[in-house]
Amino acid sequence: MGESLELTSAERERYLDEGFLVRKSVFDEADLVPIREAAERVAVRAAKASDAKASLVTRAIAPASDDYRVDGNRYVEAADATVQFEHGEGSQTIRVIEPFHHLDPVFDAFVEDPRLVVPVCGVFQADRVALWTDKINLKRPREGSGFRWHQDSPYWSHVCDHCDRLSNIMITLDDADRENGCFRLVRGSHRKGFLPGLDDGTALGPLFTDPNHFDESAEWLAEVPAGSVVIFDAHTVHGSEPNESDRARRAIVLTYQPADNPMFKMDETRNFSLHAR
Ligand SMILES: O=C(O)CCC(=O)C(=O)O
């Protein structure tokens, strides 16, 4: 960690112009081993909590709305998180957990790692930022489903009045390439702010971006080593293909916002300051 973590002016220009910037291999194997272990602990904890919640729902002790389906896919509200399951009928495999940082002390500390907070402060040109939300995408071998093209901003717009001032940072826990469903972003797609969603009769359709409103050929594939970070604007169109490989493609996405704002799904404000380092 000898070199400066500050965002360079070239990186900031790229972020503003293309809607994202990339830093490869920010975290090395020594960093990643405990992070991957924590990811698996979180998955086990979320699975147990989901099973327990499902049992309570079956016995009508918890509301049916805690174990529900949207467009056929299962979600469980458990362990103070939304746990999404993979799309195969009856799948017990967890796809996404949001938020997850509170489920393991390694992640509770990770959200304030200077290798994340310093460049994000550079994006905001601020010396303090707050956490907005955090999710872990597990994308298991052969089973991990894709994410259709979308912007994150519309998903938050009903509860957030500062979607223009949210910045995501993805950290890859495994080497990512097209075979294991690497992350993809569309260059410049953030420039017009909120883009129209799909009107396809599904509940989530409006959250998927209408391809007539961005240039799909401008996609950039994040074929990056484990431990890389991609910082991207909340309006940047992004997604990924399914994991068709025998390798994992796990990733964490943390979203930061201007300081002093509370989190999305938790009744708490987590500020981080450059001066606390
Ligand atoms: O992890 C991926 O491949 C896609 C993630 C994504 O689109 C999201 O978390 O909003």
Side-chain angles (χ1 to χ4, degrees), residues 12-261:
R12 189 152 195 283
E13 264 166 47
R14 181 168 183 208
Y15 181 88
L16 295 177
D17 184 41
E18 300 198 333
F20 63 93
L21 70 96
V22 184
R23 285 182 170 178
K24 290 189 182 168
S25 305
V26 171
F27 297 91
D28 63 18
E29 270 306 296
D31 298 313
L32 289 169
V33 167
I35 294 173
R36 292 189 191 116
E37 287 170 359
E40 295 309 322
R41 282 195 299 273
V42 163
V44 168
R45 199 166 160 194
K48 282 188 182 152
S50 299
D51 284 350
K53 183 55 75 74
S55 157
L56 293 176
V57 170
T58 306
R59 290 182 282 140
I61 294 167
S65 56
D66 279 357
D67 185 353
Y68 55 102
R69 287 182 181 254
V70 182
D71 297 331
N73 300 323
R74 183 172 176 230
Y75 297 74
V76 180
E77 299 297 327
D80 293 321
T82 303
V83 183
Q84 275 186 47
F85 285 82
E86 280 298 350
H87 298 164
E89 188 48 45
S91 176
Q92 299 293 316
T93 306
I94 293 177
R95 179 177 192 249
V96 176
I97 307 165
E98 179 188 13
F100 72 98
H101 77 272
H102 60 295
L103 297 177
D104 196 280
V106 166
F107 290 128
D108 201 52
F110 188 63
V111 295
E112 54 188 299
D113 191 296
R115 288 165 287 186
L116 309 174
V117 170
V118 173
V120 170
C121 280
V123 164
F124 289 126
Q125 295 195 302
D127 56 9
R128 293 163 70 240
V129 289
L131 187 65
W132 165 247
T133 192
D134 53 279
K135 60 195 163 198
I136 182 158
N137 299 340
L138 291 164
K139 240 189 195 194
R140 300 300 196 187
R142 301 273 164 210
E143 203 179 356
S145 50
F147 290 74
R148 293 166 71 186
W149 289 125
H150 65 282
Q151 301 174 297
D152 284 342
S153 48
Y155 166 55
W156 295 317
S157 59
H158 60 296
V159 287
C160 180
D161 62 4
H162 51 278
C163 285
D164 292 336
R165 308 212 49 218
L166 298 176
S167 188
N168 293 309
I169 180 159
M170 169 179 271
I171 305 97
T172 54
L173 304 194
D174 303 294
D175 292 343
D177 54 41
R178 62 196 73 199
E179 278 77 40
N180 67 357
C182 68
F183 190 55
R184 298 168 185 237
L185 308 104
V186 178
R187 289 193 181 93
S189 55
H190 64 303
R191 290 190 201 130
K192 291 191 198 142
F194 293 102
L195 295 173
L198 298 177
D199 181 13
D200 62 1
T202 62
L204 294 184
L207 297 181
F208 297 118
T209 315
D210 182 341
N212 295 315
H213 292 271
F214 64 94
D215 176 9
E216 241 174 297
S217 71
E219 73 171 349
W220 180 79
L221 273 61
E223 295 194 290
V224 292
S228 299
V229 305
V230 181
I231 309 182
F232 59 104
D233 190 282
H235 290 306
T236 302
V237 174
H238 60 278
S240 63
E241 296 291 317
N243 184 354
E244 311 229 302
S245 78
D246 293 322
R247 293 170 287 123
R249 207 245 61 193
R250 293 163 293 186
I252 289 168
V253 184
L254 310 177
T255 308
Y256 293 89
Q257 61 181 338
D260 300 324
N261 287 294

